[in-house]
Amino acid sequence: MQFEVFTLLPEVFPPYLESSILQRARQRGLIEVHVHNIRDYTHDKHHTTDDIPYGGGGGMVMKPEPVFDAVESILGVQPDCPIILLTPQGRVFNQRIAAEFSLQEKIALICGRYEGVDERIRTRLVSDEISIGDYVLTGGELPALILIDAISRFIPGVLGDPDGASDDSHASGLLEYPHYTRPPEFRGWDVPEVLLSGDHAKINQWRREQSLRRTFERRPDLLEKAELSEADRKMLEQIRKTKREGS
Ligand code: JBB
């Protein structure tokens, strides 16, 4: 899969892309990330990428010409891949959207700066607007890296194991159960007995209960869309009951 990134801060991408899993994915040819500096597509002496807003008011707006020129010179004038603008005005990104984008051969990511972009970029160039959450950032670069990371994990081979992204938090729609590793006792704090028992049926049952309990306590909103078995529903009813009794 190919990511074409358009940004005024190209230097922030390599350090993250050169580390760990994404580096390996790139070396194996599973993903390619091409970062383009929007400033290279300006034509004036000062390489201007922003301007004051029509109608007045504060702040600066990203000019349309350099963004259109950059995207069109890389993708052509009638691009057939998604062209994503990272913006707090977009649909909120999640695991389902990541999985959908991972089916694409190529996607473009446009990183806004200043107080936002000229509206014609949204309406005449961009196909999708995506937000990573309800907070304000100084630019779309970190959101773009988050999309690259979350989407790449769905590409077969990127995680290096055949199970891929299927076992994660959010894959089943539930939060993960608690994880422990050695030592079995650390500063007097023990690993739960069941995990040392070797009884895998019991371990799986314990983990499922923990996932349900955590999701109920921390993210009850997720339970509405989670895939639950009849046994899960019974377990949840138990969890709800013990909560009501205040234990
Ligand atoms: C950015 C977070 C953009 O597109 C907008 C907008 C509003 C305020 C600031 C910015 C800067 S770029 S991308 C994700 C911020 O409405």
Side-chain angles (χ1 to χ4, degrees):
M1 173 161 190
Q2 222 171 304
F3 297 93
E4 301 292 345
V5 181
F6 299 89
T7 174
L8 289 169
L9 280 182
E11 66 274 20
V12 308
F13 288 87
Y16 192 76
L17 298 172
E18 283 163 13
S19 58
S20 179
I21 290 176
L22 294 183
Q23 170 77 325
R24 197 185 58 192
R26 291 190 310 119
Q27 285 167 345
R28 293 179 177 183
L30 299 171
I31 64 167
E32 284 179 33
V33 186
H34 303 142
V35 182
H36 310 282
N37 191 344
I38 293 167
R39 200 173 298 281
D40 293 343
Y41 297 86
T42 54
H43 301 289
D44 63 309
K45 191 172 81 188
H46 296 107
H47 303 285
T48 313
T49 57
D50 64 338
D51 206 338
I52 54 176
Y54 273 119
M60 297 296 275
V61 177
M62 207 151 149
K63 290 170 66 60
E65 303 97 315
V67 177
F68 273 81
D69 285 354
V71 171
E72 288 172 351
S73 75
I74 299 302
L75 301 176
V77 278
Q78 244 126 38
D80 58 352
C81 71
I83 302 180
I84 303 169
L85 178 68
L86 290 314
T87 165
Q89 300 186 36
R91 286 190 284 159
V92 179
F93 191 57
N94 60 29
Q95 195 70 351
R96 183 179 47 75
I97 297 172
E100 278 169 18
F101 282 135
S102 77
L103 304 175
Q104 299 286 333
E105 189 48 51
K106 187 190 287 193
I107 66 176
L109 298 164
I110 301 178
C111 307
R113 281 260 140 192
Y114 316 116
E115 280 67 47
V117 304
D118 184 282
E119 187 65 14
R120 291 163 290 190
I121 294 172
R122 294 177 192 287
T123 56
R124 307 287 178 173
L125 182 64
V126 160
S127 64
D128 297 271
E129 297 184 40
I130 296 288
S131 165
I132 59 159
D134 294 338
Y135 30 79
V136 182
L137 300 169
T138 53
E141 285 77 15
L142 291 172
L145 279 169
I146 285 169
L147 263 66
I148 293 169
D149 192 295
I151 293 167
S152 296
R153 298 177 76 266
F154 281 99
I155 296 166
V158 166
L159 292 184
D161 79 278
D163 268 357
S166 65
D167 219 33
D168 301 330
S169 251
H170 293 294
S172 70
L174 296 177
L175 300 183
E176 285 270 88
Y177 50 78
H179 294 78
Y180 291 89
T181 186
R182 289 180 290 185
E185 188 213 298
F186 169 67
R187 298 188 177 177
W189 304 312
D190 290 333
V191 172
E193 195 70 46
V194 59
L195 297 178
L196 311 176
S197 71
D199 182 342
H200 285 283
K202 242 171 98 184
I203 290 170
N204 286 337
Q205 196 192 352
W206 180 85
R207 286 178 166 169
R208 191 69 183 176
E209 181 192 341
Q210 293 293 318
S211 280
L212 290 165
R213 192 176 287 284
R214 290 211 152 171
T215 310
F216 175 76
E217 285 168 355
R218 302 182 184 194
R219 293 293 307 277
D221 57 299
L222 295 179
L223 289 174
E224 284 153 41
K225 287 186 195 155
E227 285 176 45
L228 300 178
S229 69
E230 207 38 57
D232 289 336
R233 291 181 196 284
K234 279 203 181 120
M235 182 93 76
L236 262 179
E237 208 32 62
Q238 282 307 114
I239 293 168
R240 287 202 177 93
K241 245 186 230 156
T242 53
K243 275 279 124 61
R244 279 202 297 274
E245 286 160 11
S247 56

